[in-house]
Amino acid sequence: MIVLWPAFLMACVATGLFFSLVDPMELIVLDERIKVHALGAYTIGFFAFWMLGILSSGLTALLVQKSR
């Protein structure tokens, strides 16, 4: 939970900030428009940001643990 909870909170903030600036229906990946419902784009974005947060928090926890 030391890794997952901060990652979850940052995913909430990152999703809110990202999708307040970017319309999910206008997302283009590899020169193709994404064909998903807006709620699906929000969900995919949230989990992508959460995974990035987990990787970041996990790496930090690993490095702190090794330095002790």
Side-chain angles (χ1 to χ4, degrees):
M1 288 311 294
I2 292 172
V3 171
L4 295 178
W5 182 242
F8 175 81
L9 293 176
M10 286 312 299
C12 292
V13 171
T15 302
L17 288 174
F18 182 77
F19 286 114
S20 67
L21 298 172
V22 176
D23 182 16
M25 303 317 294
E26 298 295 323
L27 287 176
I28 298 173
V29 177
L30 299 174
D31 290 334
E32 292 213 19
R33 188 174 300 240
I34 296 178
K35 297 175 184 163
V36 296
H37 192 269
L39 186 60
Y42 295 141
T43 303
I44 293 167
F46 173 77
F47 282 114
F49 287 129
W50 197 9
M51 287 299 121
L52 287 173
I54 288 171
L55 288 173
S56 175
S57 295
L59 182 60
T60 301
L62 180 69
L63 291 174
V64 166
Q65 190 177 35
K66 284 190 174 187
S67 69
R68 290 183 177 180

